[in-house]
Amino acid sequence: MILVGGIAYRIYEYLGTPAPLKIPTTPAPTTTGGVAFRMFREVVFFESLFKSNLWIWALGWLFHVGLALVLLRHLRYFTEPVNSIIAFIQPFGMYAGFAMAAGLAGLWARRFLVERIRYISTPSDHLMLALLLGIAVTGLLMKFVMHTDIVAVKTFFLGLMVFEINPLPAHPGLYLHLGMVVLLMIVFPVSKLLHAPGVFFSPTRNQVDNPRETRHVAPWAAQLDSKN
Amino acid sequence: MADETTPVAVAPAPTPAAKAPPAKAPEKAKVVAPAFRDYPTIPALKIDSMVESNPYVAAAAHNEALGFPGTLVDGWEQKAVAKMGELLGKYRSLRVYMDACVHCGACTDTIAVTTPCPASCSPSWSAPAT
């Protein structure tokens, strides 16, 4: 609820804030289709990070792709019957869990080992990495070391989706895993995790490079214009 | 930034006060560029490396000639915070970037600045060597 409501509020805030200046980072596409393609490359491949810093990109992309596959894999706990694509990616999601943990460990190591990065790191940066790594490790432990009753887990979540509480297996790994997930969802709308929706609202990425063809004026700037 | 919160600028008449030299010249900061290295590595962090760096405060007379108060006004902290709020409401870029920066550090990693231009790229407008 906090996750969905909070993110919806942030998106409303971003939409409500005018972007008064035409500031796409050049070279920028001159058509809307081009902008959509650029945004796709940015969101899926982290193009600008790839160009600016290869090794941060490698770790970050490893983690994000792993996370995406793992999230897709987890859909099987929320749907009945399970979609055939979700069923197909199950084994890939398993290995993606290791990729995700490796990427996170690398990203966290930077925050300790690289002097400049250590200097700019805040407690919140460490909290996000600790939570995500904790979630990944407890998840992998439940998969490969100490199994929990996933049939019961699925019953719990299917029930939860229609606001019914079914018993959740008493398993320390599972409680830790779900507890950290809930914590992460709660801090999401007030943290740097907002880079996920934020990237779509970044004026340097989502604007078309056509300042001469179409004059771009924000409402508050237009008021100033009309005063003169 | 010319908006309604900025005092209206009055065309400054050249007054003797405006021509007065600044009350206090800022301390000259000693800027030391790192020595050239064959392989550009990032210099280590240095504590207090910017301690001598100060804002270049305009002289009170200059500010007053433009319609601003000459010195800090009462409650300037609150005014600054309020201005920040106003800017966040006006510029989506600022709001999104303030929220979304993940402190990845890519912007601290630029290393190419210490490499001098190779002779082959000397600007075409430079005088021919004699």
Side-chain angles (χ1 to χ4, degrees):
Chain A
M1 296 286 219
I2 293 178
L3 177 77
V4 175
I7 294 176
Y9 177 71
R10 286 290 179 194
I11 289 177
Y12 165 77
E13 231 176 26
Y14 294 157
L15 280 175
T17 307
L21 304 172
K22 202 70 169 172
I23 50 169
T25 307
T26 54
T30 51
T31 58
T32 312
V35 165
F37 182 55
R38 179 195 212 182
M39 191 54 105
F40 172 82
R41 294 197 315 261
E42 187 64 38
V43 170
V44 178
F45 303 116
F46 307 171
E47 185 185 24
S48 63
L49 184 58
F50 180 83
K51 286 176 179 168
S52 66
N53 195 305
L54 195 58
W55 71 285
I56 297 178
W57 173 85
L59 292 170
W61 199 70
L62 190 66
F63 156 61
H64 280 91
V65 168
L67 178 65
L69 276 171
V70 167
L71 283 178
L72 284 175
R73 181 173 137 84
H74 277 69
L75 278 180
R76 69 171 171 155
Y77 296 112
F78 300 90
T79 50
E80 181 62 44
V82 175
N83 183 300
S84 60
I85 298 172
I86 302 300
F88 171 73
I89 62 161
Q90 290 303 315
F92 302 106
M94 243 159 63
Y95 297 114
F98 288 103
M100 173 185 163
L104 280 170
L107 288 171
W108 209 1
R110 291 166 60 235
R111 297 218 177 267
F112 288 107
L113 301 178
V114 183
E115 196 188 18
R116 289 157 297 126
I117 310 287
R118 190 168 63 228
Y119 183 73
I120 62 167
S121 295
T122 61
S124 127
D125 298 330
H126 288 287
L127 174 73
M128 299 307 151
L129 285 162
L131 280 177
L132 282 164
L133 195 59
I135 292 166
V137 167
T138 50
L140 287 170
L141 278 178
M142 277 189 291
K143 176 67 200 167
F144 292 102
V145 181
M146 38 176 206
H147 283 284
T148 183
D149 182 359
I150 57 169
V151 177
V153 173
K154 177 155 185 172
T155 315
F156 173 79
F157 277 110
L158 285 178
L160 203 60
M161 289 176 46
V162 288
F163 299 103
E164 270 171 35
I165 305 294
N166 292 320
L168 190 64
H171 185 284
L174 182 64
Y175 280 179
L176 270 175
H177 190 68
L178 295 179
M180 286 189 285
V181 170
V182 169
L183 202 56
L184 198 70
M185 285 161 80
I186 290 173
V187 297
F188 197 106
V190 289
S191 72
K192 66 173 188 172
L193 299 177
L194 283 170
H195 66 280
V199 62
F200 295 99
F201 293 93
S202 170
T204 54
R205 290 289 169 280
N206 70 9
Q207 287 184 341
V208 182
D209 187 10
N210 59 353
R212 286 169 194 251
E213 292 81 359
T214 318
R215 183 157 152 74
H216 179 84
V217 187
W220 61 265
Q223 274 179 19
L224 293 179
D225 271 359
S226 61
K227 270 188 214 162
N228 295 334
Chain B
M1 203 164 317
D3 54 55
E4 61 278 1
T5 59
T6 310
V8 177
V10 184
T15 59
K19 282 180 188 160
K24 191 186 74 174
E27 291 279 322
K28 182 97 186 241
K30 285 186 274 303
V31 177
V32 183
F36 173 70
R37 303 174 292 290
D38 283 342
Y39 297 98
T41 52
I42 299 155
L45 288 183
K46 210 171 83 187
I47 305 285
D48 283 347
S49 62
M50 291 187 71
V51 75
E52 285 176 329
S53 173
N54 287 310
Y56 293 93
V57 182
H62 295 181
N63 267 332
E64 281 157 9
L66 290 170
F68 292 106
T71 51
L72 278 182
V73 293
D74 285 340
W76 60 270
E77 296 100 332
Q78 280 74 34
K79 284 197 164 72
V81 172
K83 184 70 189 177
M84 182 72 183
E86 186 197 322
L87 294 178
L88 283 175
K90 274 186 172 177
Y91 295 92
R92 185 190 294 165
S93 48
L94 184 63
R95 180 176 279 285
V96 170
Y97 300 152
M98 291 298 282
D99 274 356
C101 170
V102 292
H103 303 175
C104 74
C107 55
T108 71
D109 248 0
T110 311
I111 58 171
V113 289
T114 54
T115 315
C117 280
S120 58
C121 83
S122 63
S124 54
W125 45 261
S126 62
T130 50

